[in-house]
Amino acid sequence: MVKHFTSSVFVFGLVRGVWKLGLIEHPRLGRWMIAGGHVEPGESQVDAALREVEEETGRRVRLVRPPGPAVPPEFPRSLLTMPWWITEQPVPPDGHCGDRHVHVDHQYVALANAPDELIRDPELPFRWAVREELDGLTMFADTRLLAARLFAVVPMLGAGDFDAVSILTSLADGGQS
């Protein structure tokens, strides 16, 4: 099976005091989705994530590093932001491959620098959605599930209150603890 690397981003913005998830309407699939796409030659997954968000939403974002192991400050290499999840998704033929293939998707979480500020015209229809709207939108179930869990932790991320145990617990139990 042919595998292609992709990157996608759960973009959150504090819009008039309320945390919202940014979604694009996919023209071919007819669903509300998070921004993302194929990693192009010469790009890292991080580069692709930031490019796709800018192209599809017209916005700039800051990727948020997930809870994970720290690297010593004297580590001599550049570090890339880790994805929150890496998933494999079988997909039908698309513009990158004429056959069924698998997307190895690096899924990131990001905060919009200025949610209402466009730096360019978005390539796709875009909307902000609150948590309560997700169930009523035509979305993939896995995106809806992860987005709902992320809504429980995004206030911590936005405040810089990054308690790894609280975040990981909230993601695992949906904020029920």
Side-chain angles (χ1 to χ4, degrees), residues 153-167:
V153 301
V154 75
M156 288 184 262
L157 303 178
D161 182 15
F162 207 81
D163 172 37
V165 172
S166 295
I167 289 172

Side-chain angles (χ1 to χ4, degrees), residues 6-12 20-38 52-53 55-59 87 89-92 94 103 105 107-108 122-129 133-134 136-147 150-151:
T6 59
S7 290
S8 59
V9 186
F10 290 88
V11 174
F12 286 91
K20 296 186 178 185
L21 174 66
L23 297 168
I24 55 100
E25 187 174 29
H26 195 282
R28 187 170 49 86
L29 300 175
R31 293 176 184 265
W32 288 99
M33 301 174 62
I34 58 176
H38 285 80
E52 290 286 351
V53 168
E55 288 175 357
E56 293 179 357
T57 75
R59 289 161 174 82
T87 61
Q89 175 67 39
V91 295
D94 61 18
H103 285 173
D105 193 32
Q107 297 179 332
Y108 295 89
E123 291 179 353
L124 298 172
F126 176 84
R127 67 168 293 169
W128 290 109
E133 293 176 281
L134 297 182
L137 296 175
T138 303
M139 299 175 69
F140 288 111
D142 59 333
T143 302
R144 182 181 292 111
L145 173 66
L146 293 178
L150 286 167
F151 266 107

